[in-house]
Every structure is written in structure tokens, then in C-alpha cells.
Amino acid sequence: MLKLYSNQLAAQLQKSLAPVYLVFGEEPLQKQESIDFIRAAAKKHGFDERQSYSWDSSFSWNDFLMELNNLSLFSPRRVFELELPAKLPTGASDLLKQLPSLVHPDLILVLHAAKNATDYAKSAWFKNLAEQAVQVQFYPLDDQQFQRWLQQRASQLKLHLTPDAITLMQHHCAGNLLAAAQELEKLGLSLVSGAVDAELLEQHLADQSHFSVFQLVDALLSGQGNEALHRLDRLLQQDTEPVIIAWQLQKEVTTLMQMHLAQQQGKPLADFFKKNAIWPKRQPMYQIAVSRLPAKWLGYVQQELAAFDRAFKSGALSSHELALAHLVSLLVSPVSKVFSLQQRYADFTP
């Protein structure tokens, strides 16, 4: 099986078409554009008819199979697309095993889902299809990758974004490529020529950033206070459960305290990183955080997190948004203990 990243697909399609494409990933824009590339390339090669199916509650495998086996009156060459659900229903894997034997030169089969391929890779049907397939893989972009993507996308639209405009766009649309693409397209339509700076861009933008708790943690570990508070605000607007955010903060505090202990005991950091499954790319962030946040301070933050947990679960917390912002600020750098959740809820009895 040939494995490609989404930005490699267009070049590969110019060389040849595969009978099967497996398009799996959680980033919606890269997924949709990959499918669009396949459709366009197939049409150039005479695959004029396309049928799309979604495996939802109304999906019928027998109807799908019947259409797959039927000869078309309009075009002998067809593209069949099947979107898989997040969780395959009982018996679906056995049904999907039938697909490899149904593939022929006048058919292109595209299976896609908003999940990573690793969730399916061990299945027999996936392994059998993989023998004649191209797998297109893509992942959410980190900050540097997103910045490069913005520059390339703007260039394609003949837009010149100044460095401060790139930073602003990244801040507003981080993690949401679809929103960023739409904003750039609107800019391309509304602006005739010239450089686009942050001031001009600000007039066109709405905050479309979409974050995960892991991206919040990255900002905290790096000591980016304003960015961390922005990501927290967006997470809460995305209806992320406060307890999930607090749990992740607690997990990171525990990891940093253990890292302090490992250093005090003279243990190699390489062993610590391996034991805690911290990838090389993220290791510098943990080293920065440990140098910035003393073990004693982390112990205090841990007590504040415990006070948050007790107050939240009892319903005594007056504003979980402010309390979480307080906790995030404590993990940026040590500050004066003017306000404390422990003091605020000292009279609370669980």
C-alpha cells in the first residue's frame, strides 16, 4: 500500500490512478480536499459517474452492493464513495471484507472517515483493501505547520500577508483550517492588490479558532500566558467540560512534579521522557516549564486544583470560567497569592 500525506496526493494523481483510496483523518478540510482531488483526477480519466454513500442509520449494504454490481447506462467507468461512521455497527467488518473482490478496472472505490486510519488498520477488510489501495493520511497541524500552510495558501490566492498578519490569522483561526481557508478566500475576493497587514486583516476576521486541551497544555508549558488564556476561552466556547480541562491540568502538574523529582535523584531525562511517553518534539516544552515552575510552586497549584475539583463537584463554584483562568495563570509563572481557591472555599465541607 502506498501511503501519502494530503499535500502529496495531487502530484501522485497526475502519475496514475489507484483502484482504491483510503482517506482517513480528523481534519475536515484536508479530508474534503483530498476527496475533491481524487474526483477531479478520476473525471479526467473518463470516470464520469460518481455515487456517494454514507453509512448512517438509513444505509443499506444490500442496496450499496447492488449498485456496485450494476452496469451503468451512462458511463462504464464509475467512482463509488463510502463514508464510514465513527464506530462501525456490528457485522460491518464482515460486510466490508467483500469489497476487495468487487474492485475492477472500471471502478474506483473511495472509503473515507473522520477518524485516523490506525482505528481500522488491524481489521481484515482494511488489510485486504490496502493491497491495492493508496492511503491518504493527514493530521491536525501544529503551530509551525499551520503558519507554513497559511503562507502557502495565501500565495496560491495571490495574497501577500505580512508577518504580523500571519500571526494574527494563526491566532484567530488556529486549529481550524476550514475557517482559515474561507477567510483567505474572502480576502482574495475583497482586496485588489498589495500587502495585507494585521490592521487590515483585523477588519475582516471573526475568531474561528478551534483548540483541544492538548494545545492549551502546549501554550502553558511554553509559558505563553495570553495565548493560553485565549485557548482556554475558545475551549469553553466549544462547550468543553471544565472537569476535562482541570483533569488535564492536574495530569500535567503531576508530570512536572515527577520530572523535578527525577532531576533531584539524578535520573536521565531520556528515561523519564520514555516512561511518560513524551515525544522528542514536546520534550523542550517540559524542560522550559520545569525551569520556570519550581516544585514547591507546583505543589501549591496542585492544592488549588484540588480546591477547584471539590468546589465544582459540590456546585459551590460561582464561576468555573474565572476559576479555570486563575489555574491557567498559575501555570504560566509563579505569582503573588493574592487570590486562592483554597481560601475562597475554605468553609466548604465536601
Side-chain angles (χ1 to χ4, degrees):
M1 176 175 62
L2 178 63
K3 292 184 179 181
L4 300 173
Y5 290 109
S6 58
N7 60 358
Q8 299 172 313
L9 177 61
Q12 178 61 33
L13 288 169
Q14 292 179 356
K15 298 177 183 178
S16 63
L17 281 177
V20 179
Y21 288 90
L22 304 173
V23 185
F24 295 98
E26 297 178 0
E27 205 295 306
L29 181 66
Q30 294 181 79
K31 175 173 174 284
Q32 186 56 55
E33 290 188 339
S34 296
I35 294 172
D36 288 342
F37 281 138
I38 296 168
R39 290 171 178 173
K43 196 165 186 64
K44 285 183 179 179
H45 285 78
F47 289 82
D48 295 324
E49 185 176 329
R50 175 172 59 86
Q51 296 192 37
S52 299
Y53 296 85
S54 180
W55 198 317
D56 53 22
S57 57
S58 62
F59 176 75
S60 168
W61 176 261
N62 289 334
D63 291 346
F64 172 76
L65 216 56
M66 187 180 299
E67 286 296 327
L68 200 61
N69 286 313
N70 280 344
L71 292 176
S72 171
L73 297 176
F74 305 101
S75 172
R77 315 192 84 186
R78 298 183 295 168
V79 177
F80 269 72
E81 300 171 356
L82 177 58
E83 181 178 16
L84 301 180
K87 184 178 181 180
L88 290 175
T90 303
S93 293
D94 290 334
L95 297 175
L96 289 167
K97 289 179 185 177
Q98 303 174 43
L99 291 179
S101 63
L102 299 173
V103 176
H104 56 79
D106 292 326
L107 171 71
I108 292 178
L109 182 63
V110 181
L111 265 63
H112 61 100
K115 290 189 71 177
N116 291 328
T118 50
D119 295 323
Y120 306 100
K122 294 182 180 180
S123 303
W125 65 266
F126 188 95
K127 292 178 181 178
N128 293 339
L129 276 176
E131 294 177 3
Q132 48 190 325
V134 167
Q135 179 186 329
V136 185
Q137 50 193 358
F138 42 88
Y139 307 93
L141 306 185
D142 62 25
D143 289 345
Q144 290 184 343
Q145 291 170 334
F146 186 66
Q147 190 174 74
R148 288 195 296 270
W149 181 90
L150 283 172
Q151 292 168 335
Q152 293 168 359
R153 196 78 171 199
S155 178
Q156 291 170 6
L157 295 169
K158 295 181 169 50
L159 289 170
H160 175 62
L161 300 184
T162 61
D164 60 345
I166 288 284
T167 301
L168 178 60
M169 178 72 86
Q170 186 173 7
H171 177 78
H172 277 271
C173 297
N176 192 337
L177 267 63
L178 181 59
Q182 291 171 344
E183 294 292 356
L184 288 173
E185 288 169 6
K186 286 190 290 184
L187 275 173
L189 292 172
S190 60
L191 299 175
V192 179
S193 60
V196 180
D197 60 15
E199 183 178 356
L200 184 57
L201 182 61
E202 182 69 49
Q203 301 172 21
H204 292 265
L205 285 179
D207 194 348
Q208 300 288 345
S209 51
H210 185 94
F211 294 105
S212 69
V213 289
F214 304 108
Q215 289 170 305
L216 168 62
V217 166
D218 286 352
L220 284 174
L221 292 173
S222 302
Q224 301 173 28
N226 290 336
E227 182 62 23
L229 289 171
H230 173 247
R231 294 183 181 190
L232 171 65
D233 180 60
R234 292 299 299 161
L235 281 169
L236 293 172
Q237 290 183 42
Q238 293 162 205
D239 295 327
T240 306
E241 288 291 335
V243 289
I244 293 177
I245 299 173
W247 179 85
Q248 190 66 41
L249 296 180
Q250 175 64 56
K251 180 175 180 292
E252 297 304 325
V253 168
T254 300
T255 300
L256 292 173
M257 292 181 73
Q258 290 173 347
M259 188 171 170
H260 268 294
L261 182 60
Q263 287 181 323
Q264 291 169 7
Q265 295 174 345
K267 295 180 179 178
L269 280 181
D271 293 345
F272 174 83
F273 289 138
K274 183 177 181 180
K275 180 181 178 181
N276 289 274
I278 299 174
W279 299 343
K281 185 177 180 181
R282 305 188 74 236
Q283 291 171 10
M285 291 190 290
Y286 281 90
Q287 291 174 312
I288 291 171
V290 162
S291 66
R292 191 180 70 248
L293 302 169
K296 186 176 180 180
W297 179 256
L298 290 169
Y300 171 72
V301 177
Q302 199 168 49
Q303 292 171 356
E304 287 288 272
L305 282 160
F308 173 90
D309 184 65
R310 292 192 300 270
F312 182 82
K313 289 179 179 178
S314 70
L317 201 62
S318 55
S319 171
H320 66 265
E321 296 91 349
L322 290 176
L324 285 170
H326 165 69
L327 293 170
V328 163
S329 298
L330 296 182
L331 283 169
V332 174
S333 62
V335 295
S336 175
K337 301 176 184 178
V338 176
F339 171 80
S340 166
L341 292 175
Q342 300 169 68
Q343 295 173 356
R344 173 67 177 81
Y345 298 102
D347 296 332
F348 164 67
T349 304

